[in-house]
Amino acid sequence: MLKKINFVIIAILVCFLRGNDFEKELLIKSSALQNGNNKELSVKHSSALDDSSPLQNQLKILVLEGGAVRAIIQKIIVHWLKLNTGKEPYQLFDLIVGSSAGAAITIQFAASTPEGKIRHYTDELVANHINDIKVCFTNPSFLRNLQTGFGLWNAKYSAHCIFEFSKKSVGECKLSETLVPIVIPVIDRATNKIRILSTRKAKESPETEDFYLSDLGTAALVFPALFNPWRMKSPIIREGQPENHLTASDAGPIIYNPGAIALKEAYEMQKQKILSNPLLTTEEKINKIKVIQKPKMLDVGSGIPKKWVESKTSDSTKEFRVPNSGILQNIKMIISQMFQGLGINAQDGVEAFFTGDDQQNNYTRLQVLLTKEEDGTYPFVLDDTRPEVINALINQTIIFTKTTEFLTGIRKIFGSELKATITHLKKEDFLLKTKPLRALL
């Protein structure tokens, strides 16, 4: 079954990057771009899309999966990159793609001020993570618990709390105004299908694809079982025309790891760059698109239980008992397999896409394997914001950043961009710089 899933993912990706039926589309788009309809991405940093870039069209992508409270793992890892390269995420990557909690982080990394400057630095995002999460999972009142049956027949948490936090975090910044191109999947609740929202599409079709990041960040976080869907309004209002809106919710239950989406968007970005080049003939554009270089991808997970990836040997001395059928008897197995299917298997498919002698240094997957702390705290959680849980996540992530696996993987993607002397993280540094965290701990 796993092989079939991987083969399907690989087949889809190969179709995107090696299709032979794009000549008609190419001619139409190329003509439109040369006739003044060029809505090419305007990236506000030195990008691989720029002709002067030393990468020569090899994009660098950051992928952030879902994880709710565990998203602090991803923030810490990206902060490590900032310390050891001297660059913020929007300066390091040409594209950032996130799902669920990873989408919220993506938006924070990419949001700009009205003057087109950075809004948040990585150390600030790590420091504020606990307060951010506590806002998202504000304990419901006793009356709300009664009205919702403690979350059994209606949303346990209020989406308005997330929106207020999101609005404060990114202001009036729109998807079309991000410092670096981003991609966020959500579930369109009108159709119950995945809707892929991106900076590129927002620039191409602002009336239908552009939204405020505060709305998008809210929709990307409202997990269907815990929050009501969020109605996103278009920032463009035409007199006499109905308001464009999209009611959406968290795509995490379907797209936990958005690696495949990232690869497709990278291809579309590179193709657009080629199509908009007036110095190339149609034949030259076709040939260049057929040999588009694969990107470099840093795929950062939000932590999984170590026991999921450890090989288990059966004890032959014990009699195996087949479990009973039914949801209640199998709920633990169902949930664990759901996460493994959405996360591990999706990642396996993307990793297979990069397989090959010339592709080994183009992909790195960073995943913290979570274990129980000495006090018994097990930090594989969604909405548990207790101090001991956050402390466990910080501690295990910092330990991971000192491993050979982590450093080797980072060097594959960044190489000479890293400083000569590596600066390691210390838990004490986070506690000293993070007043809310220090107070809680």
Side-chain angles (χ1 to χ4, degrees), residues 120-182:
H120 300 287
Y121 295 94
T122 57
D123 55 347
E124 294 175 359
L125 294 178
V126 174
N128 293 330
H129 182 79
I130 291 182
N131 286 339
D132 295 347
I133 288 298
K134 280 190 171 291
V135 168
C136 294
F137 295 107
T138 301
N139 289 328
S141 65
F142 179 72
L143 178 60
R144 185 178 181 88
N145 279 330
L146 289 179
Q147 293 173 334
T148 66
F150 291 84
L152 290 176
W153 55 73
N154 207 335
K156 179 179 180 180
Y157 300 106
S158 170
H160 288 278
C161 294
I162 297 182
F163 176 73
E164 292 302 323
F165 140 72
S166 188
K167 183 70 176 292
K168 183 178 179 180
S169 177
V170 300
E172 298 292 325
C173 183
K174 299 191 285 279
L175 181 56
S176 59
E177 299 171 340
T178 55
L179 294 169
V180 58
I182 66 173

Side-chain angles (χ1 to χ4, degrees), residues 64 71-72 74-76 78-79 88-89 104-111 118-133 165 169-170 430 434:
L64 302 169
I72 194 171
Q74 298 161 315
K75 289 183 177 181
I76 291 174
V78 176
H79 179 56
E88 292 290 336
I105 301 175
T106 295
I107 288 172
Q108 290 179 321
F109 285 157
I118 186 173
R119 273 187 178 271
H120 300 287
Y121 295 94
T122 57
D123 55 347
E124 294 175 359
L125 294 178
V126 174
N128 293 330
H129 182 79
I130 291 182
N131 286 339
D132 295 347
I133 288 298
F165 140 72
S169 177
V170 300
F430 286 94
T434 311

Side-chain angles (χ1 to χ4, degrees), residues 62-75 77 96-106 129 133 137 183-185 217 219-224 250-259 261 298-305 308 338-344 346-347 365-368 370 379-383 393:
L62 174 62
V63 173
L64 302 169
E65 67 184 24
V69 172
R70 303 192 315 279
I72 194 171
I73 291 174
Q74 298 161 315
K75 289 183 177 181
I77 288 176
I96 305 179
V97 182
S99 177
S100 191
I105 301 175
T106 295
H129 182 79
I133 288 298
F137 295 107
V183 180
I184 306 293
L221 276 177
V222 288
F223 190 80
D250 180 4
I254 302 173
I255 303 179
Y256 188 67
N257 183 297
I261 293 175
L298 179 62
D299 187 357
V300 184
S302 59
I304 58 172
W308 282 4
M338 180 189 75
F339 276 101
Q340 292 184 69
L342 295 173
I344 298 175
Q347 175 254 322
R365 169 70 169 178
L366 300 177
Q367 184 68 285
V368 178
L370 302 171
F380 185 68
V381 295
L382 288 176
D383 60 350
L393 290 170

Side-chain angles (χ1 to χ4, degrees), residues 9-47:
I9 295 174
I10 295 170
I12 292 173
L13 297 175
V14 170
C15 287
F16 285 134
L17 298 184
R18 290 292 183 269
N20 294 319
D21 300 325
F22 61 80
E23 280 85 354
K24 289 184 179 179
E25 176 190 3
L26 176 70
L27 291 171
I28 295 172
K29 288 190 175 182
S30 178
S31 176
L33 289 171
Q34 291 184 11
N35 287 333
N37 293 326
N38 185 358
K39 294 178 181 176
E40 177 185 351
L41 292 175
S42 176
V43 183
K44 301 181 182 180
H45 69 295
S46 179
S47 164

Side-chain angles (χ1 to χ4, degrees), residues 49-65:
L49 292 174
D50 301 331
D51 294 332
S52 60
S53 170
L55 291 179
Q56 297 180 340
N57 289 334
Q58 186 174 27
L59 302 187
K60 198 173 290 180
I61 309 172
L62 174 62
V63 173
L64 302 169
E65 67 184 24

